Amino acid sequence: MAMTTQATPPTAGGSLYIPTPARIRAIEDLTEFERLFELEFLDGHPLGHDPGQFVQVSVLGIGECPISICSSPTRQETFELCIRRVGNVTNHLHTLEPGAIVGIRGPLGHGFDVSEMHGKDVLIVAGGLGLAPVRSLIQYILDERSRFGRFDLLYGAREPKEILFKDDLTEWRESADVDFHVTVDRPDEQWRGKSGVVTTLFKGLPKLDPAETMVVIVGPPIMFKFVVLEVLARRIPQHSIYCSLERRMKCGIGKCGHCQANNVYVCMDGPVFKYGRLKAMREALE
Amino acid sequence: MLDRMITHSAFLELVDELAGKRRIIGPVARGERFFYEEVERAGALDLAFNYCVYGPRAFLFPPTETLFTFQQIEGRFAAEAVVEDRPTALVGVHPCDINAIRLLDRVFEKDHPDEHYLSRRRNTLIIGLDCPRPCTDGIFCSDMKTNEATEGFDVMLFPLGAVQEVGASGKGGGGDPQAGPSVRADEPPAAPSQYGVVFGTPTGREWLLYSHKSTVPTAADERALEQYHRSKAAAFRRAIKTPSEDLPALLDRSYDSLLWEATARRCYSCGSCNLSCPTCYCFNIYDELDMTLAAGERKREWDGCQLPKFAEVAGPHNFRAKAASRLRHRIYRKAKWVREQTDLPGCVGCARCDRACTAKISSVEIYNQLAEEA
Ligand SMILES: Cc1cc2nc3c(=O)[nH]c(=O)nc-3n(C[C@H](O)[C@H](O)[C@H](O)COP(=O)(O)OP(=O)(O)OC[C@H]3O[C@@H](n4cnc5c(N)ncnc54)[C@H](O)[C@@H]3O)c2cc1C
Ligand code: SF4
Ligand code: SF4
Ligand code: FES
């Protein structure tokens, strides 16, 4: 898969900013605030993305916002977006029914370099909504399982009711293809799983081979800092650690300046970065 | 080397002829100040201006513009791009502003070409007007090496007739390269009697040559140009202690300086510095619906990195919540990051930001204070 080339969005009618119409095929409630949208382009073309890339989703008349693609390109005809309602566009998206048309620009940005992970052990650590962007990579690894070594997946949510993709979690828990563990910060009466912050799951991990392991950490900045410490303590080199940044984005194509973190336009060079690069970007983890 | 010579009055006649084919934008006097405005006739232009309060950026990248219009029909949408191609001429653009336009060209061309800007730009003829001396106090264009333009214009005019007049009105003046400008810097220069012309593009050459109003430069004209350059070089003084090519390294050492916080205490986060800057190109995108709620426009408008919400996301979390980090961001962009991304200066030293600032925050002062600390 071409990881270093950026797909130029089609210049519909001379404007880079015109989205392509896509139909909502299905909607699933994941939590009180997050919904999963399955989408397909009206003209049937596949999105053709890399795991970790994002799209700009439009509700015309309301606005546009960046959302990670949370399904793998290996599952081609449709693509999925997990959307938390927090404001204008996302609230409006939550009012839509299957069959409704939204606008899509993308895929945009740079995702994970999966070819670099081929033949390696992979450890993915996701916190909160960070599970959405890495789900595309998780599905990809599971679909191309023979290309990867050991696969460990750790996921932390604040509360049981915030846990995303419960069907997937059941599948991963039962699968022999991934060693999956989940924890919540604040358990309730019904919760029978592990509790504590996501770093507590590191105790159950097998020894990581620093030369043969690629690590992906996606979650809120505070979680990232604690997790990266655990990972560095296990001697994983900085160039083997990936993360994904969130920034305010308007254009998604390196013009509007909103996503800038120090000298980097996150929408173009990211949202996925190696930790080695982030260190030079002082604002990245603030 | 000069391509042609043209008198002031012949040039105005040429612009009048052009007005039939293109919208003419140029400096117009409003009280004591000058603004780029659309004019009907060349006579309304005031080419003896010191500087325009704002650069001509708004005519290539308007403060607000429609990107596309849309209509919802039975749950589907149809969108139509709005791309302007109105033939335009920008007349009397100083080198700093030409360098600023070059930067905008590079930014909007880069990676994903932006037709909204590029179409306007392709249809714009740029007639530059070189500056024989600093247009006002406080500027630092020569520090940024942007007081001369080598590209980005169709035609460049050198006010050769004006040099003598400037010299004559002061002591020493044009004849003595060491003396520098002796007239008050803010005073608009006298109208030059004639211009030396340098072509920047085939379009510019064609336009100037077709009407036979210009003449072939003589050896004396070439000598006048050399003299012009000598007196110009002497007239521009360095304002920043650090050479512009060393500013990125200076900033590298200054990330944690207390100066950002100390200076930003005065900042109102009003964004006037962004608004007045010819090289600022950040924007916001938003939708407008018409009365039917079924049709509308997606638009963009200028945005400014000094405005508090510029880097805010849901959470809410603000990646540059403090004025100090926003000020640092602006200065880093202007002197380091934009150059790293485009190979062109991100600041052209026009000092419009410094003049626009109610809090009297000065880029020159910041660079010099950082240099003292480092
Ligand atoms: C690369 C990337 C991937 C993302 N992936 C997902 C995802 O998979 N699922 C998901 O639910 N969310 C995701 N987000 C966050 C999502 O873009 C924001 O929640 C969304 O833009 C809010 O838009 P709104 O119109 O609903 O809210 P608004 O009404 O615009 O604002 C609500 C709040 O969000 C802030 N905000 C405005 N614009 C943005 C913006 N562009 N980015 C972030 N915050 C903003 C506002 O300052 C305000 O605090 C992602 C963001 C980025 C940059
Ligand atoms: S013009 Fe001055 S006060 Fe206003 S945001 Fe810029 S630096 Fe701050
Ligand atoms: S930063 Fe200030 S001096 Fe530099 S180009 Fe912008 S307005 Fe002019
Ligand atoms: S989102 Fe506009 S530059 Fe990145």
Tab-separated table of all heavy atoms in Angstrom, chain A residues 9 13-17 58 60-63 101 246-248 250 255-256 258 260 262-263 265 282-283, chain B residues 68 72 75 81 107 110 112-116 255-256 282-283 287 298 303 310 312-313 319-320 333 337 341:
chain	number	residue	atom	x	y	z
A	9	PRO	N	-7.347	15.004	-3.366
A	9	PRO	CA	-8.795	14.886	-3.447
A	9	PRO	C	-9.269	15.364	-4.816
A	9	PRO	O	-8.669	16.256	-5.397
A	9	PRO	CB	-9.297	15.816	-2.344
A	9	PRO	CG	-8.122	16.435	-1.722
A	9	PRO	CD	-6.897	16.024	-2.435
A	13	GLY	N	-15.472	20.240	-9.954
A	13	GLY	CA	-15.879	21.517	-10.541
A	13	GLY	C	-14.925	22.645	-10.249
A	13	GLY	O	-15.341	23.784	-10.113
A	14	GLY	N	-13.619	22.359	-10.135
A	14	GLY	CA	-12.642	23.424	-9.938
A	14	GLY	C	-12.431	23.811	-8.499
A	14	GLY	O	-11.588	24.629	-8.204
A	15	SER	N	-13.181	23.267	-7.564
A	15	SER	CA	-12.941	23.605	-6.161
A	15	SER	C	-12.544	22.376	-5.367
A	15	SER	O	-13.225	21.362	-5.383
A	15	SER	CB	-14.191	24.212	-5.520
A	15	SER	OG	-13.936	24.458	-4.157
A	16	LEU	N	-11.423	22.527	-4.662
A	16	LEU	CA	-10.939	21.468	-3.787
A	16	LEU	C	-11.862	21.241	-2.611
A	16	LEU	O	-11.719	20.273	-1.891
A	16	LEU	CB	-9.625	21.913	-3.159
A	16	LEU	CG	-8.357	21.923	-3.942
A	16	LEU	CD1	-7.353	22.774	-3.208
A	16	LEU	CD2	-7.865	20.499	-4.058
A	17	TYR	N	-12.755	22.199	-2.396
A	17	TYR	CA	-13.520	22.191	-1.159
A	17	TYR	C	-14.897	21.553	-1.326
A	17	TYR	O	-15.636	21.430	-0.358
A	17	TYR	CB	-13.635	23.626	-0.617
A	17	TYR	CG	-12.272	24.231	-0.369
A	17	TYR	CD1	-11.629	24.992	-1.337
A	17	TYR	CD2	-11.600	23.982	0.823
A	17	TYR	CE1	-10.361	25.507	-1.128
A	17	TYR	CE2	-10.335	24.495	1.045
A	17	TYR	CZ	-9.718	25.259	0.065
A	17	TYR	OH	-8.461	25.759	0.280
A	58	SER	N	-19.222	16.615	5.722
A	58	SER	CA	-20.040	17.823	5.584
A	58	SER	C	-21.504	17.535	5.764
A	58	SER	O	-22.022	16.572	5.207
A	58	SER	CB	-19.942	18.369	4.156
A	58	SER	OG	-18.819	19.152	3.997
A	60	LEU	N	-24.172	19.977	4.541
A	60	LEU	CA	-24.217	21.273	3.873
A	60	LEU	C	-25.236	22.179	4.551
A	60	LEU	O	-26.357	21.768	4.836
A	60	LEU	CB	-24.521	21.094	2.386
A	60	LEU	CG	-23.377	20.432	1.605
A	60	LEU	CD1	-23.744	20.270	0.151
A	60	LEU	CD2	-22.089	21.227	1.751
A	61	GLY	N	-24.813	23.386	4.811
A	61	GLY	CA	-25.666	24.327	5.528
A	61	GLY	C	-25.312	24.379	6.998
A	61	GLY	O	-25.626	25.340	7.684
A	62	ILE	N	-24.666	23.353	7.500
A	62	ILE	CA	-24.249	23.319	8.904
A	62	ILE	C	-22.737	23.486	8.989
A	62	ILE	O	-22.230	24.356	9.700
A	62	ILE	CB	-24.660	21.998	9.596
A	62	ILE	CG1	-26.158	21.715	9.425
A	62	ILE	CG2	-24.254	22.005	11.064
A	62	ILE	CD1	-27.077	22.662	10.167
A	63	GLY	N	-21.986	22.674	8.265
A	63	GLY	CA	-20.540	22.804	8.288
A	63	GLY	C	-19.849	21.486	8.023
A	63	GLY	O	-20.467	20.535	7.533
A	101	ILE	N	-27.907	11.733	2.888
A	101	ILE	CA	-26.679	11.990	2.129
A	101	ILE	C	-25.823	13.000	2.879
A	101	ILE	O	-26.310	14.048	3.312
A	101	ILE	CB	-27.022	12.581	0.730
A	101	ILE	CG1	-28.028	11.703	-0.020
A	101	ILE	CG2	-25.756	12.810	-0.090
A	101	ILE	CD1	-27.517	10.363	-0.449
A	246	GLU	N	-4.700	15.157	17.441
A	246	GLU	CA	-5.923	15.859	17.083
A	246	GLU	C	-5.662	17.353	17.135
A	246	GLU	O	-4.965	17.835	18.019
A	246	GLU	CB	-7.056	15.498	18.037
A	246	GLU	CG	-8.393	15.949	17.476
A	246	GLU	CD	-9.566	15.764	18.416
A	246	GLU	OE1	-9.599	14.750	19.127
A	246	GLU	OE2	-10.443	16.642	18.422
A	247	ARG	N	-6.167	18.063	16.179
A	247	ARG	CA	-6.065	19.515	16.134
A	247	ARG	C	-7.339	20.062	15.549
A	247	ARG	O	-8.104	19.341	14.921
A	247	ARG	CB	-4.884	19.949	15.234
A	247	ARG	CG	-3.517	19.851	15.899
A	247	ARG	CD	-3.422	20.837	17.033
A	247	ARG	NE	-2.155	20.813	17.742
A	247	ARG	CZ	-1.786	19.940	18.678
A	247	ARG	NH1	-2.574	18.944	18.993
A	247	ARG	NH2	-0.628	20.036	19.287
A	248	ARG	N	-7.575	21.327	15.725
A	248	ARG	CA	-8.671	21.954	15.005
A	248	ARG	C	-8.304	21.946	13.526
A	248	ARG	O	-7.165	22.214	13.165
A	248	ARG	CB	-8.847	23.390	15.482
A	248	ARG	CG	-10.113	24.045	14.980
A	248	ARG	CD	-10.120	25.501	15.377
A	248	ARG	NE	-11.388	26.134	15.096
A	248	ARG	CZ	-12.373	26.250	15.967
A	248	ARG	NH1	-12.225	25.738	17.185
A	248	ARG	NH2	-13.483	26.871	15.644
A	250	LYS	N	-9.760	22.936	9.483
A	250	LYS	CA	-10.792	23.524	8.630
A	250	LYS	C	-10.644	23.045	7.193
A	250	LYS	O	-11.582	22.547	6.607
A	250	LYS	CB	-10.739	25.060	8.700
A	250	LYS	CG	-11.257	25.618	10.008
A	250	LYS	CD	-12.734	25.312	10.175
A	250	LYS	CE	-13.218	25.574	11.591
A	250	LYS	NZ	-14.583	25.101	11.796
A	255	LYS	N	-3.672	24.444	4.068
A	255	LYS	CA	-3.771	25.866	3.725
A	255	LYS	C	-4.181	26.741	4.904
A	255	LYS	O	-3.597	27.799	5.125
A	255	LYS	CB	-4.807	26.095	2.612
A	255	LYS	CG	-4.696	25.197	1.405
A	255	LYS	CD	-3.640	25.672	0.427
A	255	LYS	CE	-3.635	24.837	-0.832
A	255	LYS	NZ	-2.267	24.557	-1.291
A	256	CYS	N	-5.216	26.348	5.640
A	256	CYS	CA	-5.910	27.270	6.544
A	256	CYS	C	-5.162	27.562	7.839
A	256	CYS	O	-5.505	28.494	8.550
A	256	CYS	CB	-7.301	26.736	6.873
A	256	CYS	SG	-7.283	25.407	8.107
A	258	HIS	N	-5.075	26.106	10.718
A	258	HIS	CA	-5.656	25.772	12.020
A	258	HIS	C	-4.998	24.595	12.721
A	258	HIS	O	-4.952	24.533	13.936
A	258	HIS	CB	-7.154	25.503	11.860
A	258	HIS	CG	-7.938	26.767	11.816
A	258	HIS	ND1	-8.295	27.444	12.949
A	258	HIS	CD2	-8.364	27.512	10.784
A	258	HIS	CE1	-8.935	28.544	12.616
A	258	HIS	NE2	-8.990	28.615	11.291
A	260	GLN	N	-1.940	23.620	12.741
A	260	GLN	CA	-0.495	23.695	12.888
A	260	GLN	C	-0.037	23.433	14.324
A	260	GLN	O	-0.568	23.986	15.280
A	260	GLN	CB	0.011	25.066	12.434
A	260	GLN	CG	1.498	25.074	12.167
A	260	GLN	CD	1.987	26.405	11.610
A	260	GLN	OE1	1.212	27.341	11.428
A	260	GLN	NE2	3.274	26.485	11.364
A	262	ASN	N	3.594	23.640	16.041
A	262	ASN	CA	4.938	24.124	15.706
A	262	ASN	C	5.073	24.232	14.196
A	262	ASN	O	4.216	24.830	13.557
A	262	ASN	CB	6.020	23.239	16.338
A	262	ASN	CG	5.957	23.270	17.856
A	262	ASN	OD1	5.526	22.319	18.474
A	262	ASN	ND2	6.335	24.376	18.447
A	263	ASN	N	6.076	23.600	13.612
A	263	ASN	CA	6.282	23.786	12.172
A	263	ASN	C	5.492	22.804	11.305
A	263	ASN	O	5.693	22.755	10.105
A	263	ASN	CB	7.770	23.672	11.852
A	263	ASN	CG	8.322	22.323	12.239
A	263	ASN	OD1	7.776	21.668	13.130
A	263	ASN	ND2	9.374	21.886	11.589
A	265	TYR	N	2.021	20.950	9.742
A	265	TYR	CA	0.594	20.956	9.479
A	265	TYR	C	0.095	19.530	9.707
A	265	TYR	O	0.373	18.624	8.923
A	265	TYR	CB	0.307	21.408	8.052
A	265	TYR	CG	0.277	22.909	7.872
A	265	TYR	CD1	0.745	23.759	8.866
A	265	TYR	CD2	-0.221	23.496	6.714
A	265	TYR	CE1	0.712	25.133	8.719
A	265	TYR	CE2	-0.248	24.877	6.556
A	265	TYR	CZ	0.213	25.690	7.558
A	265	TYR	OH	0.177	27.050	7.407
A	282	ARG	N	7.230	20.776	20.117
A	282	ARG	CA	6.959	21.006	21.533
A	282	ARG	C	5.462	21.092	21.834
A	282	ARG	O	5.017	20.713	22.905
A	282	ARG	CB	7.672	22.274	21.988
A	282	ARG	CG	9.198	22.158	21.922
A	282	ARG	CD	9.743	21.521	23.184
A	282	ARG	NE	9.330	22.261	24.352
A	282	ARG	CZ	9.993	23.286	24.873
A	282	ARG	NH1	11.125	23.677	24.322
A	282	ARG	NH2	9.548	23.900	25.941
A	283	GLU	N	4.681	21.619	20.877
A	283	GLU	CA	3.249	21.787	21.129
A	283	GLU	C	2.469	20.489	21.009
A	283	GLU	O	1.324	20.417	21.428
A	283	GLU	CB	2.645	22.787	20.128
A	283	GLU	CG	2.839	24.216	20.527
A	283	GLU	CD	2.174	25.166	19.517
A	283	GLU	OE1	1.675	24.719	18.481
A	283	GLU	OE2	2.173	26.363	19.805
B	68	PHE	N	-18.171	27.530	-2.795
B	68	PHE	CA	-19.148	26.926	-3.706
B	68	PHE	C	-20.558	27.200	-3.204
B	68	PHE	O	-20.753	27.531	-2.038
B	68	PHE	CB	-18.905	25.419	-3.890
B	68	PHE	CG	-18.984	24.584	-2.646
B	68	PHE	CD1	-20.209	24.075	-2.194
B	68	PHE	CD2	-17.834	24.259	-1.929
B	68	PHE	CE1	-20.270	23.277	-1.054
B	68	PHE	CE2	-17.892	23.463	-0.785
B	68	PHE	CZ	-19.115	22.972	-0.344
B	72	GLN	N	-29.980	21.599	-1.912
B	72	GLN	CA	-30.443	20.280	-1.495
B	72	GLN	C	-31.696	19.969	-2.292
B	72	GLN	O	-32.639	20.747	-2.266
B	72	GLN	CB	-30.810	20.276	-0.003
B	72	GLN	CG	-29.879	21.094	0.871
B	72	GLN	CD	-28.931	20.233	1.667
B	72	GLN	OE1	-28.712	19.070	1.330
B	72	GLN	NE2	-28.364	20.782	2.719
B	75	GLY	N	-33.125	15.444	-0.573
B	75	GLY	CA	-32.138	14.790	0.270
B	75	GLY	C	-30.755	14.699	-0.339
B	75	GLY	O	-29.795	14.375	0.343
B	81	ALA	N	-18.877	25.170	-7.939
B	81	ALA	CA	-17.729	25.963	-7.492
B	81	ALA	C	-17.887	27.414	-7.924
B	81	ALA	O	-18.406	27.692	-8.996
B	81	ALA	CB	-16.446	25.395	-8.077
B	107	VAL	N	2.006	29.229	-1.519
B	107	VAL	CA	1.169	28.525	-0.541
B	107	VAL	C	-0.074	27.933	-1.199
B	107	VAL	O	-0.439	26.787	-0.953
B	107	VAL	CB	0.762	29.488	0.600
B	107	VAL	CG1	-0.366	28.913	1.437
B	107	VAL	CG2	1.971	29.808	1.471
B	110	LYS	N	0.892	25.024	-3.649
B	110	LYS	CA	1.576	23.904	-3.025
B	110	LYS	C	0.640	22.712	-2.772
B	110	LYS	O	-0.469	22.885	-2.262
B	110	LYS	CB	2.097	24.399	-1.677
B	110	LYS	CG	3.337	23.750	-1.160
B	110	LYS	CD	3.838	24.556	0.051
B	110	LYS	CE	4.816	23.780	0.878
B	110	LYS	NZ	4.219	22.882	1.862
B	112	HIS	N	-1.894	20.957	-2.894
B	112	HIS	CA	-3.260	20.902	-3.417
B	112	HIS	C	-3.588	22.273	-4.005
B	112	HIS	O	-3.977	23.172	-3.263
B	112	HIS	CB	-4.258	20.594	-2.291
B	112	HIS	CG	-4.000	19.297	-1.586
B	112	HIS	ND1	-4.309	18.092	-2.156
B	112	HIS	CD2	-3.466	19.034	-0.383
B	112	HIS	CE1	-3.983	17.125	-1.310
B	112	HIS	NE2	-3.457	17.668	-0.235
B	113	PRO	N	-3.418	22.454	-5.315
B	113	PRO	CA	-3.634	23.795	-5.889
B	113	PRO	C	-5.051	24.316	-5.639
B	113	PRO	O	-6.021	23.610	-5.874
B	113	PRO	CB	-3.377	23.580	-7.390
B	113	PRO	CG	-2.543	22.347	-7.467
B	113	PRO	CD	-2.973	21.475	-6.324
B	114	ASP	N	-5.129	25.530	-5.141
B	114	ASP	CA	-6.396	26.143	-4.727
B	114	ASP	C	-6.849	27.088	-5.838
B	114	ASP	O	-6.342	28.193	-5.965
B	114	ASP	CB	-6.153	26.899	-3.418
B	114	ASP	CG	-7.408	27.539	-2.858
B	114	ASP	OD1	-8.087	28.284	-3.591
B	114	ASP	OD2	-7.694	27.315	-1.674
B	115	GLU	N	-7.809	26.620	-6.634
B	115	GLU	CA	-8.242	27.378	-7.810
B	115	GLU	C	-8.875	28.715	-7.463
B	115	GLU	O	-8.852	29.634	-8.270
B	115	GLU	CB	-9.237	26.549	-8.635
B	115	GLU	CG	-8.584	25.765	-9.749
B	115	GLU	CD	-7.774	26.650	-10.705
B	115	GLU	OE1	-8.355	27.480	-11.425
B	115	GLU	OE2	-6.530	26.492	-10.708
B	116	HIS	N	-9.458	28.822	-6.280
B	116	HIS	CA	-10.112	30.087	-5.926
B	116	HIS	C	-9.084	31.207	-5.939
B	116	HIS	O	-9.319	32.278	-6.482
B	116	HIS	CB	-10.775	29.977	-4.553
B	116	HIS	CG	-11.752	28.846	-4.487
B	116	HIS	ND1	-13.009	28.929	-4.997
B	116	HIS	CD2	-11.620	27.575	-4.027
B	116	HIS	CE1	-13.636	27.770	-4.837
B	116	HIS	NE2	-12.808	26.937	-4.243
B	255	TYR	N	12.777	29.512	22.315
B	255	TYR	CA	11.434	28.955	22.516
B	255	TYR	C	10.949	29.175	23.949
B	255	TYR	O	9.796	29.499	24.177
B	255	TYR	CB	11.428	27.465	22.170
B	255	TYR	CG	10.038	26.893	21.937
B	255	TYR	CD1	9.423	26.986	20.694
B	255	TYR	CD2	9.345	26.249	22.959
B	255	TYR	CE1	8.159	26.463	20.469
B	255	TYR	CE2	8.079	25.728	22.751
B	255	TYR	CZ	7.497	25.832	21.500
B	255	TYR	OH	6.238	25.314	21.280
B	256	ASP	N	11.830	28.989	24.901
B	256	ASP	CA	11.432	29.094	26.305
B	256	ASP	C	11.710	30.459	26.930
B	256	ASP	O	11.638	30.606	28.145
B	256	ASP	CB	12.121	27.993	27.118
B	256	ASP	CG	11.670	26.614	26.655
B	256	ASP	OD1	10.447	26.381	26.629
B	256	ASP	OD2	12.530	25.783	26.285
B	282	CYS	N	-4.156	32.454	6.801
B	282	CYS	CA	-5.003	31.483	7.492
B	282	CYS	C	-6.477	31.862	7.330
B	282	CYS	O	-6.806	33.027	7.255
B	282	CYS	CB	-4.628	31.410	8.962
B	282	CYS	SG	-3.009	30.659	9.172
B	283	PHE	N	-7.326	30.843	7.274
B	283	PHE	CA	-8.745	31.138	7.086
B	283	PHE	C	-9.625	30.143	7.813
B	283	PHE	O	-9.187	29.075	8.235
B	283	PHE	CB	-9.110	31.186	5.593
B	283	PHE	CG	-8.794	29.926	4.809
B	283	PHE	CD1	-9.689	28.857	4.762
B	283	PHE	CD2	-7.595	29.818	4.099
B	283	PHE	CE1	-9.405	27.714	4.032
B	283	PHE	CE2	-7.302	28.669	3.359
B	283	PHE	CZ	-8.203	27.607	3.329
B	287	ASP	N	-20.605	27.814	6.717
B	287	ASP	CA	-21.737	27.721	5.783
B	287	ASP	C	-22.735	28.834	6.039
B	287	ASP	O	-22.896	29.287	7.171
B	287	ASP	CB	-22.464	26.376	5.966
B	287	ASP	CG	-21.653	25.213	5.403
B	287	ASP	OD1	-20.499	25.441	4.997
B	287	ASP	OD2	-22.188	24.088	5.375
B	298	ARG	N	-20.929	27.671	0.905
B	298	ARG	CA	-19.815	27.429	1.824
B	298	ARG	C	-18.800	28.514	1.537
B	298	ARG	O	-18.417	28.728	0.393
B	298	ARG	CB	-19.221	26.038	1.638
B	298	ARG	CG	-18.073	25.793	2.603
B	298	ARG	CD	-17.860	24.339	2.892
B	298	ARG	NE	-18.961	23.780	3.679
B	298	ARG	CZ	-19.115	22.483	3.918
B	298	ARG	NH1	-18.248	21.614	3.454
B	298	ARG	NH2	-20.138	22.045	4.627
B	303	ASP	N	-8.824	34.381	8.955
B	303	ASP	CA	-8.775	34.085	10.380
B	303	ASP	C	-7.407	34.554	10.877
B	303	ASP	O	-6.542	34.893	10.064
B	303	ASP	CB	-8.969	32.584	10.616
B	303	ASP	CG	-9.615	32.304	11.966
B	303	ASP	OD1	-9.553	33.188	12.840
B	303	ASP	OD2	-10.162	31.212	12.147
B	310	PHE	N	-8.430	30.290	17.956
B	310	PHE	CA	-7.877	29.765	16.697
B	310	PHE	C	-7.514	28.284	16.768
B	310	PHE	O	-7.684	27.546	15.809
B	310	PHE	CB	-6.651	30.589	16.295
B	310	PHE	CG	-6.127	30.267	14.926
B	310	PHE	CD1	-6.727	30.789	13.797
B	310	PHE	CD2	-5.026	29.423	14.759
B	310	PHE	CE1	-6.253	30.495	12.526
B	310	PHE	CE2	-4.544	29.110	13.493
B	310	PHE	CZ	-5.158	29.653	12.377
B	312	GLU	N	-8.595	26.067	19.205
B	312	GLU	CA	-9.438	25.368	20.183
B	312	GLU	C	-10.148	24.174	19.552
B	312	GLU	O	-10.581	24.229	18.413
B	312	GLU	CB	-10.483	26.344	20.730
B	312	GLU	CG	-11.282	25.768	21.885
B	312	GLU	CD	-12.332	26.745	22.389
B	312	GLU	OE1	-11.973	27.604	23.206
B	312	GLU	OE2	-13.489	26.644	21.950
B	313	VAL	N	-10.238	23.092	20.300
B	313	VAL	CA	-10.970	21.917	19.820
B	313	VAL	C	-11.993	21.486	20.877
B	313	VAL	O	-12.018	22.025	21.979
B	313	VAL	CB	-10.037	20.714	19.508
B	313	VAL	CG1	-9.093	21.044	18.371
B	313	VAL	CG2	-9.281	20.277	20.745
B	319	PHE	N	-5.077	24.471	22.195
B	319	PHE	CA	-3.656	24.162	22.048
B	319	PHE	C	-2.762	25.396	22.205
B	319	PHE	O	-1.572	25.257	22.434
B	319	PHE	CB	-3.389	23.475	20.708
B	319	PHE	CG	-3.971	22.092	20.643
B	319	PHE	CD1	-5.162	21.846	19.996
B	319	PHE	CD2	-3.326	21.046	21.282
B	319	PHE	CE1	-5.707	20.571	19.961
B	319	PHE	CE2	-3.858	19.768	21.264
B	319	PHE	CZ	-5.049	19.532	20.595
B	320	ARG	N	-3.326	26.575	22.020
B	320	ARG	CA	-2.585	27.797	22.330
B	320	ARG	C	-3.507	28.719	23.122
B	320	ARG	O	-3.987	29.730	22.631
B	320	ARG	CB	-2.070	28.476	21.050
B	320	ARG	CG	-0.827	27.797	20.478
B	320	ARG	CD	-0.226	28.518	19.299
B	320	ARG	NE	-1.064	28.425	18.119
B	320	ARG	CZ	-1.100	27.382	17.288
B	320	ARG	NH1	-0.293	26.352	17.512
B	320	ARG	NH2	-1.897	27.368	16.256
B	333	ARG	N	6.183	31.630	12.878
B	333	ARG	CA	5.693	31.470	11.499
B	333	ARG	C	6.371	32.471	10.587
B	333	ARG	O	6.865	32.126	9.517
B	333	ARG	CB	4.181	31.705	11.446
B	333	ARG	CG	3.340	30.458	11.499
B	333	ARG	CD	1.873	30.809	11.338
B	333	ARG	NE	1.525	31.065	9.947
B	333	ARG	CZ	0.921	30.191	9.151
B	333	ARG	NH1	0.613	28.996	9.605
B	333	ARG	NH2	0.622	30.496	7.917
B	337	TRP	N	9.026	29.230	10.322
B	337	TRP	CA	8.281	28.076	9.801
B	337	TRP	C	7.819	28.248	8.361
B	337	TRP	O	7.915	27.315	7.560
B	337	TRP	CB	7.101	27.767	10.716
B	337	TRP	CG	7.521	27.285	12.062
B	337	TRP	CD1	8.694	26.649	12.371
B	337	TRP	CD2	6.797	27.406	13.291
B	337	TRP	NE1	8.741	26.367	13.717
B	337	TRP	CE2	7.593	26.816	14.301
B	337	TRP	CE3	5.560	27.944	13.630
B	337	TRP	CZ2	7.174	26.757	15.633
B	337	TRP	CZ3	5.147	27.876	14.950
B	337	TRP	CH2	5.947	27.288	15.933
B	341	GLN	N	8.768	25.964	5.119
B	341	GLN	CA	7.780	25.258	4.295
B	341	GLN	C	7.773	25.696	2.842
B	341	GLN	O	7.360	24.954	1.969
B	341	GLN	CB	6.375	25.459	4.883
B	341	GLN	CG	6.130	24.599	6.115
B	341	GLN	CD	4.882	25.032	6.871
B	341	GLN	OE1	4.291	26.053	6.582
B	341	GLN	NE2	4.489	24.243	7.857
